[in-house]
PDB file of all heavy atoms in Angstrom:
ATOM      1  N   LEU A   3      -1.489   6.697   8.159  1.00  0.00           N
ATOM      2  CA  LEU A   3      -0.496   5.861   7.485  1.00  0.00           C
ATOM      3  C   LEU A   3      -0.724   5.903   5.981  1.00  0.00           C
ATOM      4  O   LEU A   3      -1.865   5.891   5.518  1.00  0.00           O
ATOM      5  CB  LEU A   3      -0.626   4.402   7.933  1.00  0.00           C
ATOM      6  CG  LEU A   3      -0.429   4.098   9.397  1.00  0.00           C
ATOM      7  CD1 LEU A   3      -0.780   2.643   9.668  1.00  0.00           C
ATOM      8  CD2 LEU A   3       1.009   4.357   9.795  1.00  0.00           C
ATOM      9  N   TYR A  56      -9.151  -4.059  -6.815  1.00  0.00           N
ATOM     10  CA  TYR A  56      -9.799  -3.854  -5.517  1.00  0.00           C
ATOM     11  C   TYR A  56      -9.595  -2.444  -4.959  1.00  0.00           C
ATOM     12  O   TYR A  56     -10.544  -1.857  -4.426  1.00  0.00           O
ATOM     13  CB  TYR A  56      -9.344  -4.908  -4.502  1.00  0.00           C
ATOM     14  CG  TYR A  56      -9.979  -4.680  -3.161  1.00  0.00           C
ATOM     15  CD1 TYR A  56     -11.317  -5.018  -2.953  1.00  0.00           C
ATOM     16  CD2 TYR A  56      -9.272  -4.090  -2.125  1.00  0.00           C
ATOM     17  CE1 TYR A  56     -11.933  -4.779  -1.732  1.00  0.00           C
ATOM     18  CE2 TYR A  56      -9.877  -3.848  -0.901  1.00  0.00           C
ATOM     19  CZ  TYR A  56     -11.204  -4.195  -0.711  1.00  0.00           C
ATOM     20  OH  TYR A  56     -11.810  -3.941   0.495  1.00  0.00           O
ATOM     21  N   ARG A  64     -15.552   4.354  -0.530  1.00  0.00           N
ATOM     22  CA  ARG A  64     -15.232   5.447   0.394  1.00  0.00           C
ATOM     23  C   ARG A  64     -15.875   6.757  -0.053  1.00  0.00           C
ATOM     24  O   ARG A  64     -16.280   7.568   0.771  1.00  0.00           O
ATOM     25  CB  ARG A  64     -13.722   5.623   0.515  1.00  0.00           C
ATOM     26  CG  ARG A  64     -13.080   4.530   1.327  1.00  0.00           C
ATOM     27  CD  ARG A  64     -11.597   4.713   1.409  1.00  0.00           C
ATOM     28  NE  ARG A  64     -11.023   3.738   2.327  1.00  0.00           N
ATOM     29  CZ  ARG A  64      -9.736   3.630   2.583  1.00  0.00           C
ATOM     30  NH1 ARG A  64      -8.862   4.437   1.993  1.00  0.00           N
ATOM     31  NH2 ARG A  64      -9.294   2.726   3.428  1.00  0.00           N
ATOM     32  N   PHE A  77      -9.359   9.251   6.001  1.00  0.00           N
ATOM     33  CA  PHE A  77     -10.373   8.221   6.142  1.00  0.00           C
ATOM     34  C   PHE A  77     -10.241   7.656   7.551  1.00  0.00           C
ATOM     35  O   PHE A  77      -9.153   7.239   7.954  1.00  0.00           O
ATOM     36  CB  PHE A  77     -10.189   7.096   5.122  1.00  0.00           C
ATOM     37  CG  PHE A  77     -10.459   7.535   3.715  1.00  0.00           C
ATOM     38  CD1 PHE A  77      -9.408   7.716   2.829  1.00  0.00           C
ATOM     39  CD2 PHE A  77     -11.748   7.762   3.281  1.00  0.00           C
ATOM     40  CE1 PHE A  77      -9.651   8.122   1.533  1.00  0.00           C
ATOM     41  CE2 PHE A  77     -11.989   8.171   1.979  1.00  0.00           C
ATOM     42  CZ  PHE A  77     -10.938   8.342   1.111  1.00  0.00           C
ATOM     43  N   ARG A  78     -11.317   7.641   8.283  1.00  0.00           N
ATOM     44  CA  ARG A  78     -11.297   7.124   9.644  1.00  0.00           C
ATOM     45  C   ARG A  78     -12.114   5.834   9.723  1.00  0.00           C
ATOM     46  O   ARG A  78     -13.229   5.778   9.206  1.00  0.00           O
ATOM     47  CB  ARG A  78     -11.876   8.149  10.601  1.00  0.00           C
ATOM     48  CG  ARG A  78     -10.971   9.356  10.744  1.00  0.00           C
ATOM     49  CD  ARG A  78     -11.635  10.464  11.573  1.00  0.00           C
ATOM     50  NE  ARG A  78     -10.752  11.598  11.690  1.00  0.00           N
ATOM     51  CZ  ARG A  78     -10.602  12.526  10.750  1.00  0.00           C
ATOM     52  NH1 ARG A  78     -11.274  12.448   9.626  1.00  0.00           N
ATOM     53  NH2 ARG A  78      -9.775  13.540  10.924  1.00  0.00           N
ATOM     54  N   HIS A  79     -11.550   4.843  10.363  1.00  0.00           N
ATOM     55  CA  HIS A  79     -12.255   3.579  10.558  1.00  0.00           C
ATOM     56  C   HIS A  79     -12.850   3.579  11.956  1.00  0.00           C
ATOM     57  O   HIS A  79     -12.158   3.827  12.935  1.00  0.00           O
ATOM     58  CB  HIS A  79     -11.299   2.397  10.390  1.00  0.00           C
ATOM     59  CG  HIS A  79     -10.770   2.283   8.988  1.00  0.00           C
ATOM     60  ND1 HIS A  79     -11.489   1.716   7.971  1.00  0.00           N
ATOM     61  CD2 HIS A  79      -9.603   2.703   8.432  1.00  0.00           C
ATOM     62  CE1 HIS A  79     -10.795   1.765   6.850  1.00  0.00           C
ATOM     63  NE2 HIS A  79      -9.655   2.369   7.107  1.00  0.00           N
ATOM     64  N   ASP A  80     -14.137   3.294  12.033  1.00  0.00           N
ATOM     65  CA  ASP A  80     -14.815   3.272  13.319  1.00  0.00           C
ATOM     66  C   ASP A  80     -14.733   1.922  14.002  1.00  0.00           C
ATOM     67  O   ASP A  80     -15.046   1.795  15.164  1.00  0.00           O
ATOM     68  CB  ASP A  80     -16.294   3.656  13.144  1.00  0.00           C
ATOM     69  CG  ASP A  80     -16.428   5.093  12.653  1.00  0.00           C
ATOM     70  OD1 ASP A  80     -15.571   5.925  12.990  1.00  0.00           O
ATOM     71  OD2 ASP A  80     -17.388   5.366  11.908  1.00  0.00           O
ATOM     72  N   SER A  81     -14.348   0.893  13.237  1.00  0.00           N
ATOM     73  CA  SER A  81     -14.245  -0.445  13.812  1.00  0.00           C
ATOM     74  C   SER A  81     -13.143  -1.211  13.102  1.00  0.00           C
ATOM     75  O   SER A  81     -12.655  -0.796  12.057  1.00  0.00           O
ATOM     76  CB  SER A  81     -15.575  -1.191  13.674  1.00  0.00           C
ATOM     77  OG  SER A  81     -15.899  -1.343  12.318  1.00  0.00           O
ATOM     78  N   LYS A  82     -12.759  -2.323  13.710  1.00  0.00           N
ATOM     79  CA  LYS A  82     -11.725  -3.163  13.108  1.00  0.00           C
ATOM     80  C   LYS A  82     -12.326  -4.106  12.122  1.00  0.00           C
ATOM     81  O   LYS A  82     -13.411  -4.515  12.145  1.00  0.00           O
ATOM     82  CB  LYS A  82     -10.983  -3.951  14.187  1.00  0.00           C
ATOM     83  CG  LYS A  82     -10.075  -3.098  14.999  1.00  0.00           C
ATOM     84  CD  LYS A  82      -9.274  -3.976  15.934  1.00  0.00           C
ATOM     85  CE  LYS A  82      -8.285  -3.133  16.715  1.00  0.00           C
ATOM     86  NZ  LYS A  82      -7.429  -3.933  17.538  1.00  0.00           N
TER      87      LYS A  82
END
Side-chain angles (χ1 to χ4, degrees):
L3 299 172
Y56 179 76
R64 286 179 173 178
F77 292 107
R78 291 173 180 81
H79 295 280
D80 296 329
S81 62
K82 287 186 177 185

